[in-house]
Amino acid sequence: MKKYPIGFNIRTSKEPENNTPMEVCKGVIEPKKSVVQVYFPHRGMGWAYYNDSFDLKVGDFVYVEGKLEGYRGQVTEVNYSFKIKLSDYKKVIAVIDTNVKGDFYLAGSHVVSFDRNAIPFSKVLTWFKAPQNDEEYVSGNDDTNRFPLDDLSKMKISHDAADRGHDYYIENRVGFVEIDGTRGHAIVEGSENYEIEFDYIDGEISNLKCSCFCSGACKHEFAAMLQLKESLELINENYEDEYNGYFAIISKGVFMNTVMNRKVSGKISLGI
Ligand SMILES: [Zn+2]
């Protein structure tokens, strides 16, 4: 008898904890004024920015104001000795916390954690999207699109959106998926990066929503469902004993570029 039959999530009396603090800015550390060079991989170039809010180090991932607002850059140079005209420079507005601790398991194109504190959605989201402080969001629920995860043909989605979603899945654009109890989140990399949320109860998906605000089910949602299905099968096959009502998967690419990239020490152990 399987203790936690994956795909038939039990309802837990304890609701998922949503009070994880946003660990975006290293606000507690004394800022140290600097002019930094920030490299933007999507543009293949770097530019100089003024910083008076953080103590920036080479390798830090940051968001800036100006034309490249919303794109993640990496600090490649820090200068403390400078004299600049302030109006010539845009500023660094956020530093991302990419420190993670815990055990990670390989599962196909992604790595998995069964520890709620290792790569929580609220933290990982800042690796994909600049923090938005003053935006206000409202959402509504369309509860008519419910379908079993193991039969996506029951999902109400256009052929075109499903085809493109399948391409996204094959291109490994589903960066992150988390299931905490019955609540699910995903991040899909597209022209922008999109957040997806859903419920997953007794093998059934409901209340699926994507931040692209398309009417009807979208390609991002379909890609996320395909990835979730694949990852659950791999977890079920290989790590059933580890699963305790929570897991998060992150693509190997993001894991390598964001987490491993910064580590100068730490232990990796591989096993079957
Ligand atoms: Zn979407």
Side-chain angles (χ1 to χ4, degrees):
M1 183 69 187
K2 293 178 175 179
K3 198 171 156 205
Y4 295 104
I6 295 168
F8 295 90
N9 274 18
I10 41 165
R11 281 174 195 270
T12 48
S13 55
K14 189 169 162 287
E15 282 300 302
E17 288 165 26
N18 282 328
N19 55 359
T20 324
M22 288 274 284
E23 294 175 15
V24 182
C25 307
K26 295 172 178 171
V28 285
I29 297 167
E30 261 317 276
K32 194 168 175 187
K33 284 181 189 173
S34 56
V35 171
V36 295
Q37 192 73 16
V38 180
Y39 178 76
F40 294 88
H42 78 290
R43 299 287 292 269
M45 279 180 79
W47 287 270
Y49 290 85
Y50 175 57
N51 157 57
D52 61 0
S53 310
F54 314 100
D55 181 10
L56 293 179
K57 301 275 184 284
V58 168
D60 280 345
F61 290 108
V62 294
Y63 289 104
V64 298
E65 60 179 10
K67 279 206 168 59
L68 292 170
E69 187 163 339
Y71 293 101
R72 196 179 80 173
Q74 191 167 22
V75 175
T76 54
E77 212 182 295
V78 182
N79 298 298
Y80 299 112
S81 177
F82 57 88
K83 184 175 180 182
I84 55 166
K85 195 162 101 193
L86 207 50
S87 58
D88 287 345
Y89 284 79
K90 295 293 179 192
K91 280 188 190 181
V92 173
I93 54 174
V95 185
I96 316 162
D97 180 4
T98 57
N99 272 318
V100 301
K101 264 202 310 215
D103 291 329
F104 294 88
Y105 300 81
L106 301 176
S109 51
H110 288 61
V111 294
V112 184
S113 167
F114 299 99
D115 175 356
R116 256 186 195 82
N117 301 311
I119 44 169
F121 172 68
S122 57
K123 179 171 183 163
V124 173
L125 187 60
T126 66
W127 303 355
F128 290 86
K129 293 180 81 166
Q132 290 165 336
N133 300 321
D134 44 10
E135 297 276 353
E136 198 179 332
Y137 289 97
V138 289
S139 60
N141 275 342
D142 171 11
D143 207 16
T144 58
N145 200 0
R146 304 174 151 261
F147 52 90
L149 186 64
D150 61 10
D151 185 4
L152 293 181
S153 68
K154 301 260 176 17
M155 181 175 174
K156 288 178 198 151
I157 182 166
S158 70
H159 278 295
D160 186 43
D163 274 356
R164 285 157 69 197
H166 189 261
D167 290 344
Y168 268 39
Y169 160 70
I170 296 294
E171 290 160 14
N172 209 19
R173 286 170 180 255
V174 183
F176 178 83
V177 184
E178 177 187 75
I179 300 278
D180 191 348
T182 58
R183 196 77 187 123
H185 288 100
I187 302 169
V188 178
E189 298 175 88
S191 48
E192 289 173 37
N193 296 330
Y194 296 101
E195 304 161 51
I196 289 164
E197 54 182 70
F198 54 92
D199 290 322
Y200 181 55
I201 302 167
D202 296 337
E204 191 183 66
I205 301 287
S206 57
N207 295 323
L208 189 55
K209 274 180 283 197
C210 175
S211 62
C212 76
F213 305 117
C214 286
S215 61
C218 67
K219 57 190 174 188
H220 312 112
E221 292 169 352
F222 196 69
M225 292 302 109
L226 288 169
Q227 186 60 58
L228 173 61
K229 190 166 180 280
E230 179 203 298
S231 298
L232 275 171
E233 283 163 9
L234 286 168
I235 290 168
N236 212 3
E237 252 169 55
N238 301 299
Y239 310 117
E240 201 198 343
D241 292 345
E242 305 294 332
Y243 183 66
N244 195 9
Y246 176 93
F247 74 84
I249 58 161
I250 188 159
S251 77
K252 279 179 183 165
V254 173
F255 192 74
M256 293 303 289
N257 294 337
T258 307
V259 179
M260 305 290 278
N261 189 291
R262 300 294 316 280
K263 292 262 180 217
V264 289
S265 62
K267 177 182 147 191
I268 297 174
S269 64
L270 290 176
I272 303 293

